[in-house]
Amino acid sequence: MSETIENLFSEDRTFPPSPEFAAAANATPEIYDRAAEDRLAFWADEAAKLQWRAPWSKVLDDSKAPFYQWFVDGKLNVTESCLDRHLDKRGDRIAFYWEGEPGDKRTFTYRELYEEVCRCANALKAMGVTKGDSVAIYLGMVPELPVAMLACARIGAAHSVVFGGFSTDALVERINDANSVAVITGDGAWRRGNVVPLKENVDRALPNTPSVKNVLVVRRTENPVEWQDGRDHWYHDVVPAASADCPAETMDSEDLLFVLYTSGSTGKPKGIAHSCAGYLTGAASTHRNVFDIKDDDVYWCTADCGWVTGHTYIVYGPLANGCTSLIYEGTPNHPDQDRWWKLIADYKATILYTAPTAIRTFMKWGVEFPQRHDLTSLRLIGTVGEPINPEAWMWYHEHIGGGRCPIVDTWWQTETGCIMISPLPGVTETKPGSATVAMPGIAVDVVNEEGESVGRGHGGYLVVREPWPSMLRTIYGDPDRYREVYWSKFDGLYFAGDGCKIDDDGYLWLLGRVDDVMLVSGHNISTTEVESALVDHPAVAESAVVGRKDDRTGQAIAAFVVLRGDQQGSETLLQELRLHVAAKIGPIAKPASIVFTDDLPKTRSGKIMRRLLRDISEERQLGDVTTLANSDIVEAIRDRAHAASDEE
Ligand code: ATP
Ligand code: MG
């Protein structure tokens, strides 16, 4: 039998939780048993921890599958779980410490946040925004961004956050797709000392977005902006003047909470629709268990609210758990490459949640930057967004976690709403590069082309066998595409689009997108495994590999490599890297070509866009580039790739 995806890379380092961590952890082994015994009862218990207005009549209704419904007939408003219920006992507790890129600081207690959300909600109401509307939010990482999200939720309007780094075109597309009636934006956003002209982008978008009637503008960068009276409203005029009392709209469990577009690594972004109750249940439960949230934690998730990680693990999960968070507005290298480590030391952050792309960038910059600061306040660190190569995991473990912090490598998607695969920090022994096992109450599996479980020691397609509360409900406005993309490949199984293997201990290893899997001389080789073998070499910080058409082998492996520190690419190093991959995982995986580059094409959330590298390698026109962050690098790589192929 031919393997759906080969299992080549092997990693045998293991890291059990320390006895001290395990003894104090929120999640104990019992949680897996409880969930396995009765999955629906487990989720009902988790949902019962939220604040409800009326109880549900049924935990799960699967009669219209794949349009599943959770906590049927339940009534709630998610902001009451996130804000109102904390006021009595922890109203004075800090919800957000916020630091701007220029160094300015603000804090919000739970009471202050509650009042600000109510005022903003009343201001939106005054503009005519009502339950069932959708509102686009296009801001940098200022406190008004979570405030705006919660204000929408308060009045029953769905928010659609568009990352502040996106262009006018991306904004137009998303506003029109979600039919947003208002836009909440800013004069500008700070990015590495420069102003991103948010309002100007919105002004350019509006002639093409007929649904938008009002624009609420936060003043941040103080650059001059154009103004249209009647349509445009300054946040600082209308919000502080509004009442700090805004009764929450009663929402059905299944009402739309938000729409969020995927990051576009594989193609045109999809508008993922999430509902109120199921989503918040998943967000709060996983946040509490995976991050082991305690009252004295200072938790920092470095994501932007433009991505699902910011939705679930900056806004909804942490606030539902009454947690104290740090939010930072800017980039990690402003004013210097140690900004993050300084923030951790200054705020004594205890939990850090970030992305492998950031970790690999820090590896490239060198250990001297984290070494400048005291990081001993950290007790738990995590990653999300891409597979983390074992060497990047080890670097994170050693240089950021000080060898003592458990690492939670969390696999999930915009579609899943919350973490699906992750270690529980006091329970699960970790292995560098593996997201370990499914979360309690989540039924993931790895299957072959026929939809059969591949079993331990094999690779295949990652699927979810049973519905879960925070699952997407549909693709906004396109239920057929929802069925087609997620439910048509395997009957009754949710198809995630990622490759995965299960090792002999039952641990899951994510292998990248199945669209990216390479077929070399009849072997299905995952991009992740070859990339991890390259990153395993001490000279390499980051790499991307793709399969390009080859007459002899079907596809040949084309590798793109970013070196650490001031290392230089050379013919000798190139041969050394090819041999390194061959030694690490086998001659079949040896790259046919290697191009040294300063950077890789990435989405604005920092994910490598392999499809563009494939286009370059096969000398095609580039596909959808609207979510590409660093367009210059594509040209640079194209030039180098051509030069390299001339030499072949
Ligand atoms: P699009 O669906 O538009 O191509 P995207 O999949 O990048 O965009 P997201 O929903 O932000 O958009 O990302 C989810 C994907 O990120 C997962 O399907 C997986 O490929 C990858 N991913 C996330 N976390 C991990 C992880 N811990 N390990 C491996 N891969 C991960
Ligand atoms: Mg995706």
Side-chain angles (χ1 to χ4, degrees), residues 187-189 195-200 219-225 234:
D187 50 358
V195 173
V196 180
L198 297 175
K199 176 67 164 64
E200 194 182 312
R219 187 156 68 195
R220 172 63 185 143
T221 43
E222 306 198 1
N223 46 308
V225 292
W234 280 114

Side-chain angles (χ1 to χ4, degrees), residues 262-266 270 385-387 409-410 413-414 498 513 607:
T262 56
S263 72
S265 322
T266 52
K270 304 170 275 283
E386 289 180 293
D409 171 4
T410 63
Q413 308 176 296
T414 310
D498 285 351
R513 324 297 175 131
K607 293 166 194 257

Side-chain angles (χ1 to χ4, degrees), residues 192-233:
R192 212 163 291 131
N194 300 317
V195 173
V196 180
L198 297 175
K199 176 67 164 64
E200 194 182 312
N201 292 348
V202 171
D203 289 340
R204 275 190 284 135
L206 292 189
N208 303 310
T209 58
S211 57
V212 175
K213 302 288 178 269
N214 288 280
V215 182
L216 182 60
V217 189
V218 176
R219 187 156 68 195
R220 172 63 185 143
T221 43
E222 306 198 1
N223 46 308
V225 292
E226 308 247 309
W227 207 253
Q228 187 173 312
D229 285 326
R231 184 197 68 187
D232 298 347
H233 318 269

Side-chain angles (χ1 to χ4, degrees), residues 51-230:
Q51 175 104 358
W52 291 84
R53 290 193 163 195
W56 60 85
S57 61
K58 198 170 180 197
V59 177
L60 170 67
D61 178 355
D62 55 8
S63 62
K64 297 181 208 72
F67 298 92
Y68 295 95
Q69 303 206 319
W70 283 85
F71 312 114
V72 183
D73 298 327
K75 306 284 179 218
L76 79 174
N77 183 293
V78 296
T79 64
E80 291 185 330
S81 291
C82 294
L83 300 169
D84 305 54
R85 65 163 165 171
H86 302 312
L87 296 181
D88 265 359
K89 289 206 180 102
R90 38 181 81 189
D92 296 330
R93 191 188 164 87
I94 303 289
F96 293 135
Y97 288 109
W98 176 86
E99 188 165 312
E101 192 182 80
D104 47 336
K105 297 180 174 64
R106 292 168 75 184
T107 57
F108 286 79
T109 63
Y110 272 89
R111 178 167 308 282
E112 288 164 339
L113 185 62
Y114 163 82
E115 289 177 355
E116 186 75 4
V117 167
C118 285
R119 282 196 201 94
C120 183
N122 280 324
L124 291 174
K125 270 189 177 170
M127 290 186 229
V129 179
T130 56
K131 181 171 175 177
D133 284 343
S134 113
V135 174
I137 303 176
Y138 180 63
L139 275 166
M141 274 304 279
V142 289
E144 289 81 359
L145 173 43
V147 166
M149 292 164 68
L150 294 161
C152 289
R154 188 89 181 162
I155 62 174
H159 52 75
S160 164
V161 182
V162 180
F163 175 58
F166 276 136
S167 64
T168 299
D169 290 349
L171 182 61
V172 168
E173 195 183 329
R174 287 163 178 73
I175 290 176
N176 288 336
D177 191 78
N179 218 8
S180 302
V181 300
V183 181
I184 305 176
T185 187
D187 50 358
W190 287 118
R191 189 139 190 96
R192 212 163 291 131
N194 300 317
V195 173
V196 180
L198 297 175
K199 176 67 164 64
E200 194 182 312
N201 292 348
V202 171
D203 289 340
R204 275 190 284 135
L206 292 189
N208 303 310
T209 58
S211 57
V212 175
K213 302 288 178 269
N214 288 280
V215 182
L216 182 60
V217 189
V218 176
R219 187 156 68 195
R220 172 63 185 143
T221 43
E222 306 198 1
N223 46 308
V225 292
E226 308 247 309
W227 207 253
Q228 187 173 312
D229 285 326

Side-chain angles (χ1 to χ4, degrees), residues 556-568:
I557 299 180
F560 300 83
V561 166
V562 179
L563 297 175
R564 288 205 205 190
D566 43 16
Q567 300 264 357
Q568 292 297 317

Side-chain angles (χ1 to χ4, degrees), residues 127 208 214 216 232 246 259 262 273 313 330 351 355 375-376 396 406 420 435 561 601 615 633 641:
M127 290 186 229
N208 303 310
N214 288 280
L216 182 60
D232 298 347
C246 179
V259 177
T262 56
Y313 297 110
I351 300 168
L375 305 182
T376 53
Y396 195 36
M420 303 290 278
V561 166
D615 291 342
I633 198 64

